[in-house]
Amino acid sequence: MEIRIIENTQNQECDVLIVNKFENENTISEIANKYAVEEDKFEGKLGETYILPTYGQEKHRKIIVIGFGKKEEFNPNKLREAIVKATKKAISIEAKTVAFKLEGVEFDYSEQFTFAVKIADYKFDKYKSEKKDKKIDLIYVEACEHIVRKAEKIADAMAFTRNLANEPAQFATPSELASIACDLGLETIIYSKDECEKMGMGAFLAVGRGSSEEPKFIHMKYTCENPKKRIALVGKGITFDSGGLDIKPASSMLTMKDDMSGAACVLGVMSIIKELAPQVEVHGIIAACENMPGCSAYKPGDILTAKNGKTIEVDNTDAEGRLTLADALCYASELKVDEVIDLATLTGACMVALGTQAAGIMGNDSELVKNLILTAENSGERFWELPLWEEYADSLKSDIADMKNTGSRWGGASTAGIFLKKFVKDIKWAHIDIAGVAFFENAHKELGKGASGAGVRTLLKYLLEQ
Ligand code: BES
Ligand code: MN
Ligand code: ZN
């Protein structure tokens, strides 16, 4: 799909012209006002569409009127939601060329518009033997060229992440993630199981022991001249989470190919980083393995030693993400970067707390957390801060080791967070729990079903803002 910037879209020859209508205003298109508004009482509620044939009277076969809702309530998120709907509508009537004429929007919509049409264009049909070739080839819009081009790259990274997280676990194995990382053209090191053992990553390796897939520890690095900051991005990379010996019930296991969504996000960010060229050094770190109950699997009661020497009693093999992250965070801390940001589909508890509306965020530096929340808001994502009080560590006390990997059921997202904190040393750190937002079982209003690319827009914008 190509997005072409032109000065006046209204007279552009195309299959479909899309015009907007606020609830309390008419649209600029006369024929839309005559038929949609006056005759058919189209109100223009947010996301509502009205299709108007032009019977060869205009330069376009059809007009789609898209409702923008109440003008005083309109904002970039609503714009994105409406544009996704309108674009999907145009796709459904097999439009190949579409022009947008947007009137009365009081902010620069270039970025969110681009995200929206690219999101509407996304589908994961790789494994369908019959592919529907309903795709828009060309979009005309009046917008700011350089913002559109940058947003296109961010949206491409998001699609990269979604493809990876939608990929079944049989293909998206730890080795596959490692090979994808190697193909990104960055400075990349892949540590094998033996090398991880030498580095003392006893927590990470324990999780992968029950699987026939080899664990891989991935470290990608992007740098530029005189970086303003050095940032490590750490992604949870459990390519399948069966729960291990504490096996999950079937219904909870269904979506667990998505347990590498944090890793997929980091790979998505790294996939476009050279082209976007932020003024920061960025390390992408993934401890990738599969959590399976094979005959060598780690067991409840086992004691593991993490890279920083801390000992962990395994209380539940299904709390595996924090074990892999423990070693990854130790590794990131040793890089002596300025900030560490991890993303993980870490707890069902976070999903219980925030639903599918927001990722939970916590950390040891309130400014970093605040900045990320703000950047998320400006990118079309939602992060919500959860507390990280030291008392959450009380229930992690072990009789025979430094700590257990699980504690009280209550406040599970914060308990997981405080566990991770023990492995971050003297560095600003934020932890983003994307369990509720990384993969939708029920269709999301914009993103539909499946992987969402959570975190990509926010992280890329955050890096570009430095
Ligand atoms: N990968 C899951 C968390 C998860 C749940 C992600 C639902 C996405 C949707 C994680 O490894 C897990 O199993 N967590 C357990 C922790 C518990 C054993 C303390 C959970 O949330 O039940
Ligand atoms: Mn688990
Ligand atoms: Zn998991």
Side-chain angles (χ1 to χ4, degrees), residues 10-66:
Q10 206 173 358
N11 299 319
Q12 178 61 46
E13 220 161 280
C14 58
D15 294 336
V16 171
L17 173 72
I18 298 181
V19 297
N20 63 305
K21 177 182 161 8
F22 288 103
E23 268 183 67
N24 30 2
E25 280 176 19
N26 279 343
T27 81
I28 48 118
S29 161
E30 271 172 47
I31 81 156
N33 279 321
K34 182 156 179 253
Y35 293 102
V37 182
E38 280 167 29
E39 223 161 83
D40 286 344
K41 310 290 175 233
F42 176 77
E43 286 177 291
K45 290 215 166 64
L46 183 70
E48 253 182 357
T49 50
Y50 182 98
I51 303 182
L52 188 68
T54 57
Y55 305 110
Q57 299 300 300
E58 306 269 333
K59 290 208 165 112
H60 21 271
R61 269 203 290 123
K62 289 205 171 61
I63 296 175
I64 294 177
V65 192
I66 172 72

Short mmCIF file of all heavy atoms in Angstrom, two decimals, residues 10-66:
data_model
loop_
_atom_site.label_atom_id
_atom_site.label_comp_id
_atom_site.label_asym_id
_atom_site.label_seq_id
_atom_site.Cartn_x
_atom_site.Cartn_y
_atom_site.Cartn_z
N GLN A 10 -9.76 16.11 -3.16
CA GLN A 10 -11.18 16.05 -3.53
C GLN A 10 -11.42 15.78 -5.02
O GLN A 10 -12.37 15.10 -5.38
CB GLN A 10 -11.89 17.34 -3.11
CG GLN A 10 -13.36 17.08 -2.89
CD GLN A 10 -14.07 18.29 -2.31
OE1 GLN A 10 -13.44 19.32 -2.05
NE2 GLN A 10 -15.35 18.17 -2.13
N ASN A 11 -10.53 16.31 -5.83
CA ASN A 11 -10.72 16.12 -7.28
C ASN A 11 -9.88 14.99 -7.85
O ASN A 11 -9.76 14.86 -9.05
CB ASN A 11 -10.40 17.43 -8.00
CG ASN A 11 -11.32 18.54 -7.54
OD1 ASN A 11 -12.51 18.31 -7.34
ND2 ASN A 11 -10.77 19.71 -7.31
N GLN A 12 -9.28 14.23 -6.96
CA GLN A 12 -8.42 13.13 -7.41
C GLN A 12 -9.27 11.98 -7.96
O GLN A 12 -10.24 11.56 -7.31
CB GLN A 12 -7.57 12.64 -6.23
CG GLN A 12 -6.68 11.48 -6.54
CD GLN A 12 -5.67 11.80 -7.64
OE1 GLN A 12 -5.03 12.86 -7.62
NE2 GLN A 12 -5.55 10.92 -8.62
N GLU A 13 -8.89 11.51 -9.10
CA GLU A 13 -9.58 10.35 -9.65
C GLU A 13 -9.24 9.12 -8.81
O GLU A 13 -8.06 8.86 -8.54
CB GLU A 13 -9.12 10.13 -11.09
CG GLU A 13 -10.25 9.74 -12.00
CD GLU A 13 -9.91 9.96 -13.45
OE1 GLU A 13 -9.99 11.12 -13.91
OE2 GLU A 13 -9.54 8.97 -14.08
N CYS A 14 -10.24 8.39 -8.37
CA CYS A 14 -9.98 7.21 -7.54
C CYS A 14 -11.25 6.38 -7.40
O CYS A 14 -12.31 6.80 -7.84
CB CYS A 14 -9.51 7.64 -6.15
SG CYS A 14 -10.68 8.69 -5.31
N ASP A 15 -11.12 5.19 -6.82
CA ASP A 15 -12.30 4.34 -6.63
C ASP A 15 -13.21 4.92 -5.57
O ASP A 15 -14.42 4.98 -5.72
CB ASP A 15 -11.87 2.93 -6.20
CG ASP A 15 -11.11 2.20 -7.28
OD1 ASP A 15 -11.29 2.56 -8.46
OD2 ASP A 15 -10.32 1.30 -6.95
N VAL A 16 -12.62 5.32 -4.45
CA VAL A 16 -13.43 5.79 -3.33
C VAL A 16 -12.85 7.08 -2.77
O VAL A 16 -11.64 7.20 -2.56
CB VAL A 16 -13.47 4.72 -2.20
CG1 VAL A 16 -14.13 5.29 -0.94
CG2 VAL A 16 -14.23 3.48 -2.66
N LEU A 17 -13.74 8.03 -2.53
CA LEU A 17 -13.35 9.24 -1.80
C LEU A 17 -13.93 9.11 -0.40
O LEU A 17 -15.12 8.82 -0.24
CB LEU A 17 -13.91 10.49 -2.48
CG LEU A 17 -13.69 11.80 -1.69
CD1 LEU A 17 -12.23 12.23 -1.73
CD2 LEU A 17 -14.58 12.92 -2.24
N ILE A 18 -13.09 9.28 0.60
CA ILE A 18 -13.58 9.21 1.98
C ILE A 18 -13.62 10.61 2.57
O ILE A 18 -12.62 11.33 2.54
CB ILE A 18 -12.70 8.27 2.84
CG1 ILE A 18 -12.75 6.84 2.26
CG2 ILE A 18 -13.18 8.27 4.30
CD1 ILE A 18 -11.93 5.81 3.00
N VAL A 19 -14.80 11.02 3.01
CA VAL A 19 -14.94 12.33 3.65
C VAL A 19 -15.45 12.13 5.07
O VAL A 19 -16.10 11.13 5.37
CB VAL A 19 -15.92 13.26 2.88
CG1 VAL A 19 -15.41 13.55 1.49
CG2 VAL A 19 -17.31 12.65 2.81
N ASN A 20 -15.11 13.06 5.95
CA ASN A 20 -15.52 12.90 7.34
C ASN A 20 -16.71 13.79 7.67
O ASN A 20 -16.96 14.80 7.01
CB ASN A 20 -14.36 13.25 8.28
CG ASN A 20 -13.94 14.70 8.16
OD1 ASN A 20 -13.62 15.17 7.07
ND2 ASN A 20 -13.94 15.41 9.28
N LYS A 21 -17.44 13.39 8.70
CA LYS A 21 -18.53 14.23 9.19
C LYS A 21 -18.57 14.21 10.71
O LYS A 21 -18.64 13.15 11.33
CB LYS A 21 -19.87 13.74 8.63
CG LYS A 21 -21.04 14.57 9.20
CD LYS A 21 -22.37 14.10 8.72
CE LYS A 21 -23.53 14.59 9.58
NZ LYS A 21 -23.29 15.55 10.63
N PHE A 22 -18.48 15.38 11.31
CA PHE A 22 -18.69 15.50 12.76
C PHE A 22 -20.19 15.49 13.03
O PHE A 22 -20.98 15.92 12.18
CB PHE A 22 -18.07 16.80 13.29
CG PHE A 22 -16.57 16.77 13.30
CD1 PHE A 22 -15.82 17.45 12.33
CD2 PHE A 22 -15.89 16.07 14.29
CE1 PHE A 22 -14.44 17.41 12.34
CE2 PHE A 22 -14.50 16.04 14.31
CZ PHE A 22 -13.76 16.71 13.33
N GLU A 23 -20.56 15.07 14.23
CA GLU A 23 -21.99 14.95 14.54
C GLU A 23 -22.74 16.27 14.37
O GLU A 23 -23.86 16.32 13.93
CB GLU A 23 -22.19 14.42 15.97
CG GLU A 23 -22.31 12.91 16.00
CD GLU A 23 -22.57 12.40 17.39
OE1 GLU A 23 -23.65 12.68 17.93
OE2 GLU A 23 -21.68 11.72 17.95
N ASN A 24 -22.06 17.35 14.78
CA ASN A 24 -22.76 18.64 14.77
C ASN A 24 -22.41 19.52 13.57
O ASN A 24 -22.65 20.70 13.57
CB ASN A 24 -22.49 19.37 16.09
CG ASN A 24 -21.12 19.02 16.67
OD1 ASN A 24 -20.35 18.26 16.07
ND2 ASN A 24 -20.82 19.58 17.81
N GLU A 25 -21.78 18.93 12.55
CA GLU A 25 -21.42 19.72 11.37
C GLU A 25 -21.72 18.95 10.10
O GLU A 25 -21.73 17.73 10.10
CB GLU A 25 -19.91 20.04 11.39
CG GLU A 25 -19.56 21.19 12.29
CD GLU A 25 -18.05 21.40 12.35
OE1 GLU A 25 -17.34 20.92 11.43
OE2 GLU A 25 -17.60 22.04 13.30
N ASN A 26 -21.87 19.65 8.99
CA ASN A 26 -22.01 18.97 7.71
C ASN A 26 -20.63 18.66 7.14
O ASN A 26 -19.63 19.19 7.61
CB ASN A 26 -22.80 19.84 6.74
CG ASN A 26 -24.29 19.70 6.99
OD1 ASN A 26 -24.73 18.75 7.65
ND2 ASN A 26 -25.06 20.65 6.49
N THR A 27 -20.60 17.80 6.14
CA THR A 27 -19.32 17.53 5.49
C THR A 27 -19.16 18.53 4.35
O THR A 27 -20.11 19.20 3.95
CB THR A 27 -19.25 16.12 4.89
OG1 THR A 27 -19.92 16.15 3.65
CG2 THR A 27 -19.90 15.11 5.80
N ILE A 28 -17.95 18.57 3.80
CA ILE A 28 -17.72 19.49 2.70
C ILE A 28 -18.29 18.96 1.39
O ILE A 28 -18.45 19.70 0.45
CB ILE A 28 -16.22 19.79 2.51
CG1 ILE A 28 -15.44 18.48 2.52
CG2 ILE A 28 -15.70 20.72 3.57
CD1 ILE A 28 -14.75 18.26 1.26
N SER A 29 -18.61 17.65 1.37
CA SER A 29 -19.11 17.09 0.12
C SER A 29 -20.61 17.36 -0.02
O SER A 29 -21.41 16.93 0.80
CB SER A 29 -18.83 15.58 0.08
OG SER A 29 -19.66 14.96 -0.86
N GLU A 30 -20.96 18.09 -1.07
CA GLU A 30 -22.37 18.47 -1.25
C GLU A 30 -23.27 17.26 -1.42
O GLU A 30 -24.35 17.19 -0.85
CB GLU A 30 -22.51 19.37 -2.48
CG GLU A 30 -22.34 20.84 -2.15
CD GLU A 30 -22.29 21.67 -3.41
OE1 GLU A 30 -23.16 21.46 -4.29
OE2 GLU A 30 -21.38 22.52 -3.53
N ILE A 31 -22.81 16.31 -2.24
CA ILE A 31 -23.71 15.18 -2.48
C ILE A 31 -23.85 14.32 -1.22
O ILE A 31 -24.89 13.76 -0.95
CB ILE A 31 -23.36 14.36 -3.76
CG1 ILE A 31 -22.24 13.39 -3.53
CG2 ILE A 31 -23.12 15.22 -4.95
CD1 ILE A 31 -22.34 12.25 -4.55
N ALA A 32 -22.77 14.26 -0.41
CA ALA A 32 -22.88 13.52 0.86
C ALA A 32 -23.90 14.20 1.76
O ALA A 32 -24.71 13.53 2.42
CB ALA A 32 -21.52 13.45 1.53
N ASN A 33 -23.90 15.50 1.79
CA ASN A 33 -24.88 16.21 2.62
C ASN A 33 -26.30 15.97 2.13
O ASN A 33 -27.21 15.72 2.90
CB ASN A 33 -24.59 17.72 2.62
CG ASN A 33 -23.48 18.06 3.61
OD1 ASN A 33 -23.44 17.47 4.70
ND2 ASN A 33 -22.59 18.95 3.22
N LYS A 34 -26.44 16.01 0.81
CA LYS A 34 -27.78 15.85 0.24
C LYS A 34 -28.35 14.45 0.56
O LYS A 34 -29.47 14.34 1.06
CB LYS A 34 -27.70 16.07 -1.27
CG LYS A 34 -29.03 15.97 -1.98
CD LYS A 34 -29.02 16.75 -3.29
CE LYS A 34 -30.35 16.63 -4.00
NZ LYS A 34 -30.30 15.77 -5.17
N TYR A 35 -27.54 13.40 0.28
CA TYR A 35 -28.09 12.05 0.43
C TYR A 35 -27.89 11.46 1.83
O TYR A 35 -28.84 10.98 2.43
CB TYR A 35 -27.49 11.13 -0.64
CG TYR A 35 -27.92 11.52 -2.02
CD1 TYR A 35 -27.07 12.23 -2.87
CD2 TYR A 35 -29.21 11.22 -2.47
CE1 TYR A 35 -27.48 12.63 -4.13
CE2 TYR A 35 -29.63 11.60 -3.74
CZ TYR A 35 -28.76 12.31 -4.56
OH TYR A 35 -29.18 12.69 -5.81
N ALA A 36 -26.65 11.50 2.30
CA ALA A 36 -26.37 10.84 3.58
C ALA A 36 -27.04 11.59 4.73
O ALA A 36 -27.74 11.00 5.55
CB ALA A 36 -24.86 10.77 3.81
N VAL A 37 -26.84 12.88 4.76
CA VAL A 37 -27.30 13.65 5.92
C VAL A 37 -28.79 13.99 5.81
O VAL A 37 -29.58 13.62 6.66
CB VAL A 37 -26.45 14.94 6.10
CG1 VAL A 37 -26.90 15.70 7.34
CG2 VAL A 37 -24.96 14.57 6.18
N GLU A 38 -29.15 14.69 4.71
CA GLU A 38 -30.54 15.15 4.63
C GLU A 38 -31.54 14.01 4.40
O GLU A 38 -32.52 13.88 5.12
CB GLU A 38 -30.68 16.21 3.53
CG GLU A 38 -30.20 17.57 4.01
CD GLU A 38 -30.03 18.55 2.88
OE1 GLU A 38 -30.76 18.43 1.87
OE2 GLU A 38 -29.15 19.43 2.99
N GLU A 39 -31.22 13.16 3.44
CA GLU A 39 -32.17 12.12 3.10
C GLU A 39 -32.16 10.96 4.11
O GLU A 39 -33.20 10.54 4.60
CB GLU A 39 -31.89 11.60 1.70
CG GLU A 39 -33.16 11.40 0.89
CD GLU A 39 -32.84 11.34 -0.59
OE1 GLU A 39 -32.47 10.25 -1.04
OE2 GLU A 39 -32.94 12.38 -1.27
N ASP A 40 -30.97 10.47 4.39
CA ASP A 40 -30.89 9.25 5.20
C ASP A 40 -30.52 9.50 6.66
O ASP A 40 -30.28 8.56 7.42
CB ASP A 40 -29.88 8.26 4.56
CG ASP A 40 -30.47 7.62 3.31
OD1 ASP A 40 -31.71 7.71 3.15
OD2 ASP A 40 -29.70 7.07 2.53
N LYS A 41 -30.47 10.74 7.04
CA LYS A 41 -30.26 11.12 8.45
C LYS A 41 -28.98 10.50 9.05
O LYS A 41 -28.97 10.06 10.20
CB LYS A 41 -31.47 10.71 9.32
CG LYS A 41 -32.82 11.16 8.78
CD LYS A 41 -33.00 12.67 8.89
CE LYS A 41 -34.28 13.15 8.24
NZ LYS A 41 -34.12 14.22 7.26
N PHE A 42 -27.94 10.43 8.23
CA PHE A 42 -26.65 9.95 8.74
C PHE A 42 -26.11 10.98 9.74
O PHE A 42 -25.93 12.15 9.40
CB PHE A 42 -25.67 9.75 7.59
CG PHE A 42 -24.28 9.34 8.02
CD1 PHE A 42 -24.03 8.04 8.41
CD2 PHE A 42 -23.24 10.27 8.05
CE1 PHE A 42 -22.75 7.66 8.82
CE2 PHE A 42 -21.97 9.89 8.46
CZ PHE A 42 -21.73 8.59 8.84
N GLU A 43 -25.87 10.51 10.99
CA GLU A 43 -25.53 11.47 12.04
C GLU A 43 -24.04 11.76 12.16
O GLU A 43 -23.64 12.83 12.56
CB GLU A 43 -26.04 10.95 13.39
CG GLU A 43 -27.54 11.05 13.53
CD GLU A 43 -28.03 10.47 14.83
OE1 GLU A 43 -27.95 9.23 14.98
OE2 GLU A 43 -28.44 11.24 15.70
N GLY A 44 -23.25 10.76 11.86
CA GLY A 44 -21.80 10.97 11.97
C GLY A 44 -21.24 10.56 13.32
O GLY A 44 -20.24 11.11 13.78
N LYS A 45 -21.89 9.59 13.95
CA LYS A 45 -21.35 9.05 15.21
C LYS A 45 -19.97 8.43 14.94
O LYS A 45 -19.72 7.91 13.86
CB LYS A 45 -22.28 7.97 15.76
CG LYS A 45 -23.60 8.52 16.27
CD LYS A 45 -24.07 7.73 17.49
CE LYS A 45 -25.17 8.44 18.24
NZ LYS A 45 -26.42 8.58 17.45
N LEU A 46 -19.12 8.48 15.94
CA LEU A 46 -17.74 8.02 15.76
C LEU A 46 -17.68 6.61 15.16
O LEU A 46 -18.24 5.66 15.72
CB LEU A 46 -16.99 8.04 17.10
CG LEU A 46 -15.51 7.64 17.00
CD1 LEU A 46 -14.71 8.72 16.29
CD2 LEU A 46 -14.92 7.36 18.35
N GLY A 47 -17.02 6.50 14.02
CA GLY A 47 -16.79 5.19 13.40
C GLY A 47 -17.91 4.71 12.50
O GLY A 47 -17.75 3.70 11.81
N GLU A 48 -19.04 5.42 12.49
CA GLU A 48 -20.14 5.03 11.60
C GLU A 48 -19.78 5.35 10.16
O GLU A 48 -19.21 6.40 9.88
CB GLU A 48 -21.37 5.88 11.94
CG GLU A 48 -22.47 5.15 12.67
CD GLU A 48 -23.66 6.06 12.92
OE1 GLU A 48 -23.63 7.27 12.57
OE2 GLU A 48 -24.63 5.57 13.47
N THR A 49 -20.16 4.44 9.26
CA THR A 49 -19.86 4.73 7.85
C THR A 49 -21.13 4.74 7.01
O THR A 49 -22.10 4.08 7.35
CB THR A 49 -18.91 3.67 7.25
OG1 THR A 49 -19.43 2.37 7.56
CG2 THR A 49 -17.51 3.79 7.80
N TYR A 50 -21.08 5.48 5.94
CA TYR A 50 -22.20 5.55 5.00
C TYR A 50 -21.62 5.49 3.60
O TYR A 50 -20.72 6.25 3.25
CB TYR A 50 -22.95 6.88 5.20
CG TYR A 50 -24.15 7.05 4.31
CD1 TYR A 50 -25.43 6.77 4.77
CD2 TYR A 50 -24.00 7.49 2.98
CE1 TYR A 50 -26.53 6.92 3.93
CE2 TYR A 50 -25.10 7.64 2.14
CZ TYR A 50 -26.37 7.35 2.64
OH TYR A 50 -27.45 7.50 1.81
N ILE A 51 -22.12 4.54 2.80
CA ILE A 51 -21.58 4.40 1.44
C ILE A 51 -22.53 5.03 0.43
O ILE A 51 -23.73 4.75 0.44
CB ILE A 51 -21.36 2.92 1.07
CG1 ILE A 51 -20.43 2.26 2.09
CG2 ILE A 51 -20.76 2.80 -0.32
CD1 ILE A 51 -20.13 0.81 1.78
N LEU A 52 -21.96 5.85 -0.42
CA LEU A 52 -22.76 6.59 -1.38
C LEU A 52 -22.24 6.32 -2.79
O LEU A 52 -21.11 6.68 -3.10
CB LEU A 52 -22.61 8.08 -1.02
CG LEU A 52 -23.47 9.09 -1.72
CD1 LEU A 52 -24.92 8.90 -1.29
CD2 LEU A 52 -23.01 10.48 -1.31
N PRO A 53 -23.05 5.70 -3.66
CA PRO A 53 -22.58 5.52 -5.04
C PRO A 53 -22.69 6.86 -5.79
O PRO A 53 -23.55 7.68 -5.46
CB PRO A 53 -23.57 4.51 -5.62
CG PRO A 53 -24.69 4.39 -4.65
CD PRO A 53 -24.39 5.17 -3.43
N THR A 54 -21.84 7.05 -6.76
CA THR A 54 -21.89 8.33 -7.48
C THR A 54 -22.38 8.18 -8.91
O THR A 54 -22.48 9.15 -9.63
CB THR A 54 -20.50 8.99 -7.49
OG1 THR A 54 -19.59 8.06 -8.08
CG2 THR A 54 -20.02 9.34 -6.10
N TYR A 55 -22.65 6.94 -9.33
CA TYR A 55 -23.22 6.66 -10.65
C TYR A 55 -22.50 7.40 -11.77
O TYR A 55 -23.13 8.00 -12.64
CB TYR A 55 -24.72 6.99 -10.66
CG TYR A 55 -25.47 6.26 -9.57
CD1 TYR A 55 -26.00 6.95 -8.48
CD2 TYR A 55 -25.61 4.87 -9.64
CE1 TYR A 55 -26.66 6.27 -7.47
CE2 TYR A 55 -26.27 4.19 -8.63
CZ TYR A 55 -26.80 4.89 -7.55
OH TYR A 55 -27.44 4.22 -6.56
N GLY A 56 -21.18 7.41 -11.69
CA GLY A 56 -20.39 8.01 -12.76
C GLY A 56 -20.46 9.52 -12.82
O GLY A 56 -19.97 10.15 -13.75
N GLN A 57 -21.09 10.12 -11.85
CA GLN A 57 -21.23 11.58 -11.86
C GLN A 57 -20.00 12.28 -11.29
O GLN A 57 -19.87 13.49 -11.38
CB GLN A 57 -22.47 11.99 -11.02
CG GLN A 57 -23.78 11.45 -11.51
CD GLN A 57 -24.09 11.91 -12.93
OE1 GLN A 57 -24.19 13.10 -13.20
NE2 GLN A 57 -24.21 10.96 -13.85
N GLU A 58 -19.14 11.52 -10.61
CA GLU A 58 -17.99 12.15 -9.96
C GLU A 58 -16.70 11.47 -10.42
O GLU A 58 -16.74 10.50 -11.16
CB GLU A 58 -18.11 12.02 -8.43
CG GLU A 58 -19.41 12.55 -7.85
CD GLU A 58 -19.34 14.01 -7.44
OE1 GLU A 58 -18.22 14.47 -7.12
OE2 GLU A 58 -20.38 14.69 -7.44
N LYS A 59 -15.58 11.94 -9.88
CA LYS A 59 -14.28 11.35 -10.25
C LYS A 59 -14.01 10.06 -9.49
O LYS A 59 -12.99 9.43 -9.66
CB LYS A 59 -13.18 12.36 -9.95
CG LYS A 59 -13.20 13.55 -10.89
CD LYS A 59 -11.80 14.13 -11.02
CE LYS A 59 -11.70 15.07 -12.19
NZ LYS A 59 -11.50 16.45 -11.79
N HIS A 60 -14.94 9.69 -8.61
CA HIS A 60 -14.75 8.48 -7.82
C HIS A 60 -16.03 7.65 -7.91
O HIS A 60 -17.12 8.19 -8.01
CB HIS A 60 -14.44 8.83 -6.36
CG HIS A 60 -14.88 10.21 -5.98
ND1 HIS A 60 -14.08 11.32 -6.13
CD2 HIS A 60 -16.07 10.66 -5.53
CE1 HIS A 60 -14.76 12.39 -5.76
NE2 HIS A 60 -15.96 12.02 -5.40
N ARG A 61 -15.85 6.32 -7.84
CA ARG A 61 -16.99 5.41 -7.97
C ARG A 61 -17.95 5.56 -6.81
O ARG A 61 -19.15 5.49 -6.93
CB ARG A 61 -16.49 3.96 -7.99
CG ARG A 61 -16.19 3.41 -9.35
CD ARG A 61 -16.25 1.89 -9.33
NE ARG A 61 -15.17 1.28 -8.58
CZ ARG A 61 -15.35 0.46 -7.55
NH1 ARG A 61 -16.56 0.15 -7.15
NH2 ARG A 61 -14.30 -0.05 -6.92
N LYS A 62 -17.35 5.73 -5.63
CA LYS A 62 -18.18 5.82 -4.42
C LYS A 62 -17.60 6.84 -3.46
O LYS A 62 -16.41 7.16 -3.50
CB LYS A 62 -18.22 4.46 -3.73
CG LYS A 62 -19.03 3.41 -4.49
CD LYS A 62 -19.56 2.34 -3.56
CE LYS A 62 -20.54 1.42 -4.25
NZ LYS A 62 -19.95 0.68 -5.39
N ILE A 63 -18.47 7.30 -2.59
CA ILE A 63 -18.01 8.14 -1.48
C ILE A 63 -18.31 7.37 -0.20
O ILE A 63 -19.39 6.78 -0.07
CB ILE A 63 -18.75 9.50 -1.46
CG1 ILE A 63 -18.43 10.29 -2.74
CG2 ILE A 63 -18.41 10.30 -0.22
CD1 ILE A 63 -19.21 11.59 -2.86
N ILE A 64 -17.36 7.36 0.70
CA ILE A 64 -17.66 6.84 2.03
C ILE A 64 -17.64 8.03 2.98
O ILE A 64 -16.67 8.79 3.02
CB ILE A 64 -16.64 5.77 2.49
CG1 ILE A 64 -16.73 4.51 1.61
CG2 ILE A 64 -16.88 5.39 3.96
CD1 ILE A 64 -15.70 3.44 1.95
N VAL A 65 -18.73 8.19 3.71
CA VAL A 65 -18.74 9.22 4.74
C VAL A 65 -18.41 8.53 6.05
O VAL A 65 -19.01 7.51 6.38
CB VAL A 65 -20.12 9.92 4.85
CG1 VAL A 65 -20.01 11.18 5.70
CG2 VAL A 65 -20.67 10.26 3.47
N ILE A 66 -17.43 9.07 6.77
CA ILE A 66 -17.04 8.45 8.03
C ILE A 66 -17.37 9.39 9.19
O ILE A 66 -17.02 10.58 9.16
CB ILE A 66 -15.52 8.06 8.04
CG1 ILE A 66 -15.05 7.59 9.41
CG2 ILE A 66 -14.63 9.20 7.57
CD1 ILE A 66 -15.56 6.24 9.80
#
